[in-house]
Amino acid sequence: MTDISLPIVRMRPNKSPQRVRFGFPWIYNDELVLDRRAKNIPAGELVLVQDNDRRPVAICAFNANSKITARVLALGDTLTLDQDWFAQKMRYAAAYRDRMFDKPFYRLFHAESDGMPGVIIDRFGDAFVVQPNAAWADMRMDMIAAALRDVFDAAVIVKNATGRARGLEGLNEDSALLHGAIDAPIPTPMNNATYMADLLGGQKTGLFYDQRPNHAFAANLAKDCDVLDVFSHVGGFSLAALAAGAKSALAVDASTPALELATAGANASGHGDRFSTERGDAFDVMDGLAKDGRQFDVVVCDPPAFAPAKPALDKGLRAYERVARMGAALVKPGGFLVLCSCSHAADLAKFRTASLRGMGKSGRSGQIIHTGGAGADHPVHPHLAESSYLKSLFLRLN
């Protein structure tokens, strides 16, 4: 039965609703009739989207100020969006994660891929960090927090309001501790190491769970090796490598707090004596290491997104090429180079081409031994390429 209380927004006559009915989760601004009435609908409100024949397409979260104007919450014309709806989504998402991980440290919601458009929730035991990157979720944070307390008996709930996505939705950057108390980083077990997640002051949600399987693959290469971890953040690749028996790991990052957390993680893991850090611009540090004639058995470069959107693609690909060129120069013959990209705009083919060009310009050649993606707690939406954003190339260099 149609909820007649919802505002109705129609698709343009020349736009087909079929891909939405087949599962595509977004309706863009140029697909909808955005007259004065529609533009006056408050951001985050629910609407019923109809096709040109007035048949229901979906109930969507609406934001006339966003290019992604309608985010699908339910196909058809029936939806009860209440705390129980969020709780059911949470139970369903957790049931899968708890099959895949033996401890409750994972990404609970991966936005559209888990039926929660624009919503990221990372779990750290009984602490949860929520990124409501869409207006509909931001205005329902009380409901989301209540569901987390109901389903998981959450002790800590943090709202993280940083990031480019919120700006595109016209949202502020006011992060907050919504429930509980926290005064120290949370020890987080992964790949036989202990990481320190700063839920209040760290980047994004405090830790990057997506790289977990790539940390593990690199760790398998690192036994009895010297490892260079560039753009290390809190020591993602370094700590896993040390836990696997690396002789040493040097973490390079521009952030002093991140390196302090990495050091705390190395100490908590029992490997502090084999771990060192260098703070500075990654390109400057790599240049300095090359000038000093330094080389390592394993070099990992995991930079921030150089191409977060299409306008930055060309510049971003040049940056990835530069990373590969400088990183390859620091690898011992027979050693390994790991190159990563979390850029939505640079697909695997473009990233691989830029990386191999950079490797070639360094005068090195080698083999691609593995291509990695995000972990099992980052499912891919079958109709949304953007949800498969993480790429990792593992190369053995001659």
Side-chain angles (χ1 to χ4, degrees):
M1 182 176 67
T2 300
D3 186 343
I4 59 174
S5 66
L6 292 181
I8 293 173
V9 178
R10 292 193 177 91
M11 298 191 71
R12 292 187 178 186
N14 62 336
K15 298 295 183 180
S16 171
Q18 284 304 96
R19 72 170 184 168
V20 175
R21 288 178 171 141
F22 290 158
F24 191 75
W26 298 341
I27 306 176
Y28 295 105
N29 54 5
D30 64 355
E31 297 179 288
L32 297 168
V33 177
L34 296 179
D35 54 19
R36 181 179 300 177
R37 179 193 58 82
K39 290 181 179 179
N40 284 331
I41 297 172
E45 293 292 344
L46 302 189
V47 301
L48 174 62
V49 174
Q50 295 181 341
D51 62 19
N52 194 46
D53 294 321
R54 299 176 183 261
R55 293 175 300 191
V57 176
I59 294 178
C60 300
F62 187 79
N63 187 346
N65 301 313
S66 173
K67 180 179 179 181
I68 304 171
T69 307
R71 298 174 185 262
V72 176
L73 296 179
L75 293 176
D77 57 8
T78 304
L79 172 67
T80 301
L81 186 58
D82 55 13
Q83 182 180 324
D84 186 58
W85 183 87
F86 285 104
Q88 289 181 29
K89 292 279 188 182
M90 290 174 184
R91 293 188 183 99
Y92 187 80
Y96 163 63
R97 272 73 177 182
D98 289 338
R99 283 178 176 269
M100 303 303 297
F101 302 100
D102 59 358
K103 296 178 181 178
F105 293 84
Y106 46 62
R107 173 151 293 182
L108 175 65
F109 277 131
H110 191 46
E112 278 77 359
S113 299
D114 282 296
M116 290 278 280
V119 181
I120 299 295
I121 302 181
D122 280 355
R123 183 179 186 182
F124 301 86
D126 60 1
F128 296 80
V129 181
V130 184
Q131 285 187 300
N133 293 328
W136 78 275
D138 193 69
M139 67 187 293
R140 294 173 175 84
M141 269 305 306
D142 289 348
M143 207 178 288
I144 293 173
L148 286 170
R149 294 176 68 180
D150 175 46
V151 175
F152 303 106
D153 194 23
V156 173
I157 301 173
V158 175
K159 173 186 174 182
N160 183 292
T162 62
R164 173 178 173 273
R166 285 180 60 85
L168 296 176
E169 284 276 302
L171 301 173
N172 62 41
E173 295 188 357
D174 298 334
S175 297
L177 177 62
L178 301 181
H179 174 67
I182 183 170
D183 57 7
I186 292 183
T188 301
M190 283 197 303
N191 292 319
N192 300 313
T194 299
Y195 296 82
M196 294 297 175
D198 182 356
L199 306 194
L200 293 177
Q203 295 182 37
K204 299 292 182 71
T205 62
L207 198 67
F208 298 129
Y209 281 131
D210 54 0
Q211 285 282 25
R212 185 179 344 217
N214 299 313
H215 294 162
F217 193 93
N220 288 333
L221 305 175
K223 186 176 181 181
D224 297 324
C225 290
D226 295 312
V227 176
L228 174 64
D229 183 5
V230 187
F231 306 99
S232 67
H233 189 226
V234 298
F237 284 92
S238 304
L239 302 190
L242 290 170
K247 286 194 298 184
S248 71
L250 170 61
V252 177
D253 202 273
S255 168
T256 297
L259 291 177
E260 289 174 346
L261 290 168
T263 299
N267 291 333
S269 302
H271 309 304
D273 59 328
R274 293 180 282 135
F275 181 70
S276 59
T277 66
E278 184 166 349
R279 191 194 70 79
D281 175 84
F283 294 105
D284 291 342
V285 173
M286 285 194 288
D287 184 57
L289 291 170
K291 288 178 178 177
D292 291 341
R294 297 283 301 278
Q295 286 193 317
F296 301 80
D297 302 291
V298 179
V299 174
V300 180
C301 298
D302 183 17
F306 288 141
K310 287 183 179 179
L313 179 58
D314 290 342
K315 182 179 179 181
L317 292 174
R318 289 194 296 272
Y320 287 123
E321 179 183 318
R322 185 184 179 197
V323 167
R325 175 175 57 80
M326 298 183 74
L330 297 172
V331 179
K332 294 178 180 177
F336 301 95
L337 176 64
V338 183
L339 301 169
C340 307
S341 166
C342 58
S343 292
H344 290 82
D347 63 20
L348 176 60
K350 290 183 176 67
F351 172 62
R352 182 172 55 217
T353 297
S355 297
L356 297 180
R357 184 184 299 117
M359 182 185 72
K361 288 184 176 180
S362 75
R364 305 296 295 273
S365 61
Q367 309 157 290
I368 298 176
I369 59 171
H370 179 63
T371 301
D377 50 349
H378 291 63
V380 175
H381 191 290
H383 299 280
L384 200 63
E386 290 89 339
S387 61
S388 180
Y389 62 95
L390 185 65
K391 290 81 59 178
S392 293
L393 295 177
F394 294 77
L395 302 111
R396 190 182 189 199
L397 304 191
N398 299 325

